[in-house]
mmCIF file of all heavy atoms in Angstrom:
data_model
loop_
_atom_site.group_PDB
_atom_site.id
_atom_site.type_symbol
_atom_site.label_atom_id
_atom_site.label_comp_id
_atom_site.label_asym_id
_atom_site.label_seq_id
_atom_site.Cartn_x
_atom_site.Cartn_y
_atom_site.Cartn_z
ATOM 1 N N ASP A 1 2.662 -0.072 10.689
ATOM 2 C CA ASP A 1 1.327 0.523 10.565
ATOM 3 C C ASP A 1 0.914 0.559 9.099
ATOM 4 O O ASP A 1 1.374 1.406 8.331
ATOM 5 C CB ASP A 1 1.333 1.939 11.150
ATOM 6 C CG ASP A 1 -0.045 2.598 11.077
ATOM 7 O OD1 ASP A 1 -1.032 1.860 10.812
ATOM 8 O OD2 ASP A 1 -0.131 3.821 11.259
ATOM 9 N N LEU A 2 0.074 -0.369 8.700
ATOM 10 C CA LEU A 2 -0.410 -0.429 7.313
ATOM 11 C C LEU A 2 -1.741 0.310 7.130
ATOM 12 O O LEU A 2 -2.337 0.243 6.057
ATOM 13 C CB LEU A 2 -0.576 -1.895 6.878
ATOM 14 C CG LEU A 2 0.716 -2.615 6.478
ATOM 15 C CD1 LEU A 2 0.447 -4.107 6.272
ATOM 16 C CD2 LEU A 2 1.327 -2.010 5.221
ATOM 17 N N GLN A 3 -2.194 1.005 8.170
ATOM 18 C CA GLN A 3 -3.499 1.661 8.065
ATOM 19 C C GLN A 3 -3.554 2.702 6.936
ATOM 20 O O GLN A 3 -4.549 2.755 6.204
ATOM 21 C CB GLN A 3 -3.890 2.302 9.404
ATOM 22 C CG GLN A 3 -5.367 2.733 9.472
ATOM 23 C CD GLN A 3 -6.323 1.583 9.197
ATOM 24 O OE1 GLN A 3 -6.156 0.479 9.718
ATOM 25 N NE2 GLN A 3 -7.333 1.835 8.366
ATOM 26 N N PRO A 4 -2.520 3.551 6.752
ATOM 27 C CA PRO A 4 -2.582 4.489 5.625
ATOM 28 C C PRO A 4 -2.718 3.790 4.275
ATOM 29 O O PRO A 4 -3.463 4.235 3.405
ATOM 30 C CB PRO A 4 -1.245 5.248 5.724
ATOM 31 C CG PRO A 4 -0.864 5.148 7.152
ATOM 32 C CD PRO A 4 -1.340 3.792 7.596
ATOM 33 N N VAL A 5 -2.012 2.658 4.104
ATOM 34 C CA VAL A 5 -2.122 1.903 2.855
ATOM 35 C C VAL A 5 -3.528 1.328 2.722
ATOM 36 O O VAL A 5 -4.142 1.359 1.649
ATOM 37 C CB VAL A 5 -1.077 0.766 2.814
ATOM 38 C CG1 VAL A 5 -1.177 -0.002 1.499
ATOM 39 C CG2 VAL A 5 0.320 1.321 2.996
ATOM 40 N N ARG A 6 -4.049 0.790 3.817
ATOM 41 C CA ARG A 6 -5.403 0.230 3.830
ATOM 42 C C ARG A 6 -6.431 1.309 3.436
ATOM 43 O O ARG A 6 -7.333 1.057 2.630
ATOM 44 C CB ARG A 6 -5.705 -0.339 5.209
ATOM 45 C CG ARG A 6 -7.028 -1.087 5.297
ATOM 46 C CD ARG A 6 -7.227 -1.691 6.679
ATOM 47 N NE ARG A 6 -6.379 -2.848 6.917
ATOM 48 C CZ ARG A 6 -5.293 -2.865 7.683
ATOM 49 N NH1 ARG A 6 -4.906 -1.753 8.308
ATOM 50 N NH2 ARG A 6 -4.586 -3.968 7.846
ATOM 51 N N ASN A 7 -6.245 2.510 3.969
ATOM 52 C CA ASN A 7 -7.168 3.606 3.644
ATOM 53 C C ASN A 7 -7.113 3.969 2.162
ATOM 54 O O ASN A 7 -8.141 4.208 1.521
ATOM 55 C CB ASN A 7 -6.836 4.845 4.488
ATOM 56 C CG ASN A 7 -7.133 4.642 5.969
ATOM 57 O OD1 ASN A 7 -7.858 3.718 6.340
ATOM 58 N ND2 ASN A 7 -6.560 5.478 6.818
ATOM 59 N N ILE A 8 -5.878 4.012 1.625
ATOM 60 C CA ILE A 8 -5.715 4.353 0.205
ATOM 61 C C ILE A 8 -6.353 3.284 -0.681
ATOM 62 O O ILE A 8 -7.042 3.591 -1.661
ATOM 63 C CB ILE A 8 -4.219 4.506 -0.158
ATOM 64 C CG1 ILE A 8 -3.619 5.700 0.562
ATOM 65 C CG2 ILE A 8 -4.047 4.659 -1.661
ATOM 66 C CD1 ILE A 8 -4.124 7.042 0.087
ATOM 67 N N LEU A 9 -6.122 2.013 -0.353
ATOM 68 C CA LEU A 9 -6.703 0.924 -1.145
ATOM 69 C C LEU A 9 -8.230 0.997 -1.133
ATOM 70 O O LEU A 9 -8.876 0.850 -2.177
ATOM 71 C CB LEU A 9 -6.235 -0.433 -0.604
ATOM 72 C CG LEU A 9 -4.796 -0.840 -0.923
ATOM 73 C CD1 LEU A 9 -4.443 -2.139 -0.201
ATOM 74 C CD2 LEU A 9 -4.602 -1.010 -2.426
ATOM 75 N N GLN A 10 -8.793 1.237 0.040
ATOM 76 C CA GLN A 10 -10.243 1.357 0.145
ATOM 77 C C GLN A 10 -10.747 2.529 -0.704
ATOM 78 O O GLN A 10 -11.749 2.412 -1.423
ATOM 79 C CB GLN A 10 -10.653 1.571 1.610
ATOM 80 C CG GLN A 10 -12.166 1.628 1.842
ATOM 81 C CD GLN A 10 -12.833 0.295 1.533
ATOM 82 O OE1 GLN A 10 -12.484 -0.729 2.132
ATOM 83 N NE2 GLN A 10 -13.774 0.293 0.595
ATOM 84 N N PHE A 11 -10.019 3.626 -0.636
ATOM 85 C CA PHE A 11 -10.390 4.816 -1.403
ATOM 86 C C PHE A 11 -10.328 4.530 -2.909
ATOM 87 O O PHE A 11 -11.229 4.901 -3.667
ATOM 88 C CB PHE A 11 -9.446 5.961 -1.026
ATOM 89 C CG PHE A 11 -9.741 7.261 -1.712
ATOM 90 C CD1 PHE A 11 -10.816 8.052 -1.312
ATOM 91 C CD2 PHE A 11 -8.947 7.702 -2.763
ATOM 92 C CE1 PHE A 11 -11.081 9.258 -1.934
ATOM 93 C CE2 PHE A 11 -9.204 8.901 -3.389
ATOM 94 C CZ PHE A 11 -10.276 9.684 -2.974
ATOM 95 N N LEU A 12 -9.263 3.870 -3.343
ATOM 96 C CA LEU A 12 -9.110 3.533 -4.764
ATOM 97 C C LEU A 12 -10.245 2.640 -5.251
ATOM 98 O O LEU A 12 -10.818 2.849 -6.325
ATOM 99 C CB LEU A 12 -7.762 2.850 -5.007
ATOM 100 C CG LEU A 12 -6.510 3.725 -4.886
ATOM 101 C CD1 LEU A 12 -5.259 2.860 -4.903
ATOM 102 C CD2 LEU A 12 -6.460 4.744 -6.015
ATOM 103 N N LEU A 13 -10.574 1.622 -4.465
ATOM 104 C CA LEU A 13 -11.634 0.697 -4.858
ATOM 105 C C LEU A 13 -12.991 1.390 -4.908
ATOM 106 O O LEU A 13 -13.808 1.126 -5.795
ATOM 107 C CB LEU A 13 -11.673 -0.495 -3.895
ATOM 108 C CG LEU A 13 -10.459 -1.436 -3.940
ATOM 109 C CD1 LEU A 13 -10.570 -2.487 -2.856
ATOM 110 C CD2 LEU A 13 -10.337 -2.097 -5.304
ATOM 111 N N ASP A 14 -13.224 2.275 -3.967
ATOM 112 C CA ASP A 14 -14.511 2.980 -3.929
ATOM 113 C C ASP A 14 -14.636 4.019 -5.043
ATOM 114 O O ASP A 14 -15.690 4.167 -5.658
ATOM 115 C CB ASP A 14 -14.701 3.676 -2.572
ATOM 116 C CG ASP A 14 -14.938 2.690 -1.439
ATOM 117 O OD1 ASP A 14 -15.307 1.536 -1.736
ATOM 118 O OD2 ASP A 14 -14.736 3.078 -0.268
ATOM 119 N N GLU A 15 -13.535 4.743 -5.290
ATOM 120 C CA GLU A 15 -13.619 5.895 -6.190
ATOM 121 C C GLU A 15 -13.317 5.577 -7.655
ATOM 122 O O GLU A 15 -13.880 6.187 -8.554
ATOM 123 C CB GLU A 15 -12.642 6.989 -5.720
ATOM 124 C CG GLU A 15 -13.022 7.629 -4.400
ATOM 125 C CD GLU A 15 -14.272 8.498 -4.532
ATOM 126 O OE1 GLU A 15 -14.511 9.042 -5.624
ATOM 127 O OE2 GLU A 15 -15.004 8.624 -3.531
ATOM 128 N N PHE A 16 -12.397 4.631 -7.894
ATOM 129 C CA PHE A 16 -11.858 4.504 -9.247
ATOM 130 C C PHE A 16 -12.066 3.151 -9.911
ATOM 131 O O PHE A 16 -11.672 2.975 -11.054
ATOM 132 C CB PHE A 16 -10.348 4.814 -9.240
ATOM 133 C CG PHE A 16 -10.023 6.179 -8.708
ATOM 134 C CD1 PHE A 16 -9.057 6.348 -7.741
ATOM 135 C CD2 PHE A 16 -10.688 7.295 -9.190
ATOM 136 C CE1 PHE A 16 -8.745 7.611 -7.249
ATOM 137 C CE2 PHE A 16 -10.386 8.557 -8.712
ATOM 138 C CZ PHE A 16 -9.411 8.719 -7.745
ATOM 139 N N ARG A 17 -12.636 2.190 -9.222
ATOM 140 C CA ARG A 17 -12.743 0.879 -9.847
ATOM 141 C C ARG A 17 -13.594 0.916 -11.101
ATOM 142 O O ARG A 17 -13.347 0.190 -12.073
ATOM 143 C CB ARG A 17 -13.309 -0.147 -8.867
ATOM 144 C CG ARG A 17 -12.964 -1.588 -9.235
ATOM 145 C CD ARG A 17 -13.972 -2.571 -8.677
ATOM 146 N NE ARG A 17 -15.283 -2.408 -9.300
ATOM 147 C CZ ARG A 17 -16.336 -3.163 -9.051
ATOM 148 N NH1 ARG A 17 -16.235 -4.143 -8.175
ATOM 149 N NH2 ARG A 17 -17.482 -2.966 -9.652
ATOM 150 N N ASP A 18 -14.627 1.765 -11.123
ATOM 151 C CA ASP A 18 -15.564 1.786 -12.241
ATOM 152 C C ASP A 18 -15.497 3.069 -13.058
ATOM 153 O O ASP A 18 -16.371 3.321 -13.884
ATOM 154 C CB ASP A 18 -17.001 1.606 -11.722
ATOM 155 C CG ASP A 18 -17.161 0.286 -10.977
ATOM 156 O OD1 ASP A 18 -16.676 -0.726 -11.499
ATOM 157 O OD2 ASP A 18 -17.745 0.288 -9.877
ATOM 158 N N LYS A 19 -14.465 3.907 -12.843
ATOM 159 C CA LYS A 19 -14.377 5.151 -13.599
ATOM 160 C C LYS A 19 -12.923 5.592 -13.681
ATOM 161 O O LYS A 19 -12.084 5.147 -12.890
ATOM 162 C CB LYS A 19 -15.236 6.241 -12.944
ATOM 163 C CG LYS A 19 -14.884 6.545 -11.497
ATOM 164 C CD LYS A 19 -15.889 7.510 -10.877
ATOM 165 C CE LYS A 19 -15.569 7.735 -9.401
ATOM 166 N NZ LYS A 19 -16.562 8.600 -8.738
ATOM 167 N N PRO A 20 -12.584 6.469 -14.633
ATOM 168 C CA PRO A 20 -11.189 6.915 -14.782
ATOM 169 C C PRO A 20 -10.684 7.635 -13.540
ATOM 170 O O PRO A 20 -11.450 8.231 -12.787
ATOM 171 C CB PRO A 20 -11.251 7.874 -15.986
ATOM 172 C CG PRO A 20 -12.489 7.487 -16.718
ATOM 173 C CD PRO A 20 -13.461 6.996 -15.685
ATOM 174 N N VAL A 21 -9.371 7.588 -13.364
ATOM 175 C CA VAL A 21 -8.738 8.224 -12.202
ATOM 176 C C VAL A 21 -8.739 9.742 -12.368
ATOM 177 O O VAL A 21 -8.366 10.266 -13.411
ATOM 178 C CB VAL A 21 -7.288 7.719 -12.031
ATOM 179 C CG1 VAL A 21 -6.572 8.508 -10.946
ATOM 180 C CG2 VAL A 21 -7.278 6.235 -11.707
ATOM 181 N N ASP A 22 -9.163 10.453 -11.335
ATOM 182 C CA ASP A 22 -9.093 11.905 -11.279
ATOM 183 C C ASP A 22 -8.173 12.258 -10.111
ATOM 184 O O ASP A 22 -8.546 12.102 -8.943
ATOM 185 C CB ASP A 22 -10.485 12.512 -11.076
ATOM 186 C CG ASP A 22 -10.462 14.036 -11.074
ATOM 187 O OD1 ASP A 22 -9.351 14.605 -11.058
ATOM 188 O OD2 ASP A 22 -11.548 14.646 -11.066
ATOM 189 N N VAL A 23 -6.954 12.714 -10.445
ATOM 190 C CA VAL A 23 -5.940 12.966 -9.417
ATOM 191 C C VAL A 23 -6.423 13.985 -8.387
ATOM 192 O O VAL A 23 -6.076 13.920 -7.208
ATOM 193 C CB VAL A 23 -4.622 13.447 -10.076
ATOM 194 C CG1 VAL A 23 -3.581 13.783 -9.008
ATOM 195 C CG2 VAL A 23 -4.078 12.383 -11.013
ATOM 196 N N ARG A 24 -7.270 14.925 -8.815
ATOM 197 C CA ARG A 24 -7.742 15.963 -7.894
ATOM 198 C C ARG A 24 -8.522 15.381 -6.711
ATOM 199 O O ARG A 24 -8.547 15.962 -5.624
ATOM 200 C CB ARG A 24 -8.628 16.959 -8.644
ATOM 201 C CG ARG A 24 -7.854 17.816 -9.654
ATOM 202 C CD ARG A 24 -8.811 18.612 -10.525
ATOM 203 N NE ARG A 24 -9.660 17.715 -11.309
ATOM 204 C CZ ARG A 24 -10.587 18.147 -12.165
ATOM 205 N NH1 ARG A 24 -10.791 19.440 -12.326
ATOM 206 N NH2 ARG A 24 -11.315 17.283 -12.845
ATOM 207 N N VAL A 25 -9.124 14.231 -6.931
ATOM 208 C CA VAL A 25 -9.910 13.609 -5.863
ATOM 209 C C VAL A 25 -9.025 13.220 -4.680
ATOM 210 O O VAL A 25 -9.483 13.136 -3.546
ATOM 211 C CB VAL A 25 -10.677 12.379 -6.407
ATOM 212 C CG1 VAL A 25 -11.482 11.692 -5.303
ATOM 213 C CG2 VAL A 25 -11.615 12.799 -7.537
ATOM 214 N N PHE A 26 -7.729 12.998 -4.941
ATOM 215 C CA PHE A 26 -6.818 12.603 -3.864
ATOM 216 C C PHE A 26 -6.656 13.699 -2.813
ATOM 217 O O PHE A 26 -6.167 13.432 -1.719
ATOM 218 C CB PHE A 26 -5.446 12.226 -4.446
ATOM 219 C CG PHE A 26 -5.394 10.834 -4.987
ATOM 220 C CD1 PHE A 26 -5.550 10.596 -6.343
ATOM 221 C CD2 PHE A 26 -5.208 9.747 -4.146
ATOM 222 C CE1 PHE A 26 -5.503 9.322 -6.852
ATOM 223 C CE2 PHE A 26 -5.160 8.458 -4.644
ATOM 224 C CZ PHE A 26 -5.318 8.242 -6.006
ATOM 225 N N GLU A 27 -7.052 14.926 -3.168
ATOM 226 C CA GLU A 27 -6.971 16.006 -2.177
ATOM 227 C C GLU A 27 -7.829 15.688 -0.945
ATOM 228 O O GLU A 27 -7.547 16.160 0.153
ATOM 229 C CB GLU A 27 -7.422 17.327 -2.804
ATOM 230 C CG GLU A 27 -6.481 17.826 -3.889
ATOM 231 C CD GLU A 27 -7.012 19.066 -4.584
ATOM 232 O OE1 GLU A 27 -8.083 19.578 -4.152
ATOM 233 O OE2 GLU A 27 -6.381 19.528 -5.543
ATOM 234 N N GLN A 28 -8.864 14.870 -1.139
ATOM 235 C CA GLN A 28 -9.748 14.507 -0.016
ATOM 236 C C GLN A 28 -9.002 13.722 1.054
ATOM 237 O O GLN A 28 -9.378 13.735 2.227
ATOM 238 C CB GLN A 28 -10.931 13.670 -0.518
ATOM 239 C CG GLN A 28 -11.803 14.370 -1.550
ATOM 240 C CD GLN A 28 -12.837 13.409 -2.124
ATOM 241 O OE1 GLN A 28 -13.147 12.385 -1.524
ATOM 242 N NE2 GLN A 28 -13.372 13.727 -3.281
ATOM 243 N N ILE A 29 -7.965 13.016 0.655
ATOM 244 C CA ILE A 29 -7.247 12.167 1.623
ATOM 245 C C ILE A 29 -5.760 12.499 1.615
ATOM 246 O O ILE A 29 -4.921 11.609 1.713
ATOM 247 C CB ILE A 29 -7.473 10.670 1.313
ATOM 248 C CG1 ILE A 29 -7.131 10.368 -0.145
ATOM 249 C CG2 ILE A 29 -8.872 10.236 1.647
ATOM 250 C CD1 ILE A 29 -6.974 8.892 -0.422
ATOM 251 N N SER A 30 -5.440 13.769 1.472
ATOM 252 C CA SER A 30 -4.047 14.176 1.351
ATOM 253 C C SER A 30 -3.200 13.734 2.546
ATOM 254 O O SER A 30 -2.027 13.385 2.396
ATOM 255 C CB SER A 30 -3.945 15.692 1.168
ATOM 256 O OG SER A 30 -4.578 16.349 2.254
ATOM 257 N N ASP A 31 -3.781 13.736 3.743
ATOM 258 C CA ASP A 31 -3.019 13.330 4.932
ATOM 259 C C ASP A 31 -2.603 11.868 4.856
ATOM 260 O O ASP A 31 -1.470 11.508 5.170
ATOM 261 C CB ASP A 31 -3.849 13.561 6.201
ATOM 262 C CG ASP A 31 -4.049 15.041 6.502
ATOM 263 O OD1 ASP A 31 -3.279 15.852 5.945
ATOM 264 O OD2 ASP A 31 -4.972 15.373 7.260
ATOM 265 N N GLN A 32 -3.562 11.001 4.415
ATOM 266 C CA GLN A 32 -3.248 9.576 4.300
ATOM 267 C C GLN A 32 -2.196 9.323 3.212
ATOM 268 O O GLN A 32 -1.316 8.475 3.362
ATOM 269 C CB GLN A 32 -4.514 8.763 3.983
ATOM 270 C CG GLN A 32 -5.468 8.641 5.163
ATOM 271 C CD GLN A 32 -6.534 9.729 5.117
ATOM 272 O OE1 GLN A 32 -6.259 10.856 4.717
ATOM 273 N NE2 GLN A 32 -7.747 9.376 5.522
ATOM 274 N N VAL A 33 -2.305 10.080 2.105
ATOM 275 C CA VAL A 33 -1.321 9.936 1.022
ATOM 276 C C VAL A 33 0.066 10.314 1.530
ATOM 277 O O VAL A 33 1.057 9.616 1.267
ATOM 278 C CB VAL A 33 -1.715 10.815 -0.188
ATOM 279 C CG1 VAL A 33 -0.596 10.807 -1.235
ATOM 280 C CG2 VAL A 33 -3.012 10.313 -0.811
ATOM 281 N N TYR A 34 0.129 11.419 2.285
ATOM 282 C CA TYR A 34 1.416 11.861 2.842
ATOM 283 C C TYR A 34 2.012 10.788 3.755
ATOM 284 O O TYR A 34 3.196 10.449 3.662
ATOM 285 C CB TYR A 34 1.231 13.170 3.604
ATOM 286 C CG TYR A 34 2.469 13.613 4.325
ATOM 287 C CD1 TYR A 34 3.527 14.211 3.633
ATOM 288 C CD2 TYR A 34 2.606 13.401 5.702
ATOM 289 C CE1 TYR A 34 4.677 14.607 4.305
ATOM 290 C CE2 TYR A 34 3.754 13.796 6.368
ATOM 291 C CZ TYR A 34 4.787 14.401 5.663
ATOM 292 O OH TYR A 34 5.922 14.773 6.321
ATOM 293 N N LEU A 35 1.195 10.243 4.654
ATOM 294 C CA LEU A 35 1.678 9.211 5.575
ATOM 295 C C LEU A 35 2.161 7.974 4.833
ATOM 296 O O LEU A 35 3.183 7.380 5.183
ATOM 297 C CB LEU A 35 0.561 8.817 6.554
ATOM 298 C CG LEU A 35 0.258 9.805 7.687
ATOM 299 C CD1 LEU A 35 -1.004 9.379 8.428
ATOM 300 C CD2 LEU A 35 1.451 9.890 8.640
#
């Protein structure tokens, strides 16, 4: 099941490709990060 990885990649591309990483934003997808 690569869906959690797929979700994280999509999230990274949407949120951080054009701006610095803010670790706090990962709280929005904490379940996917855990999986």
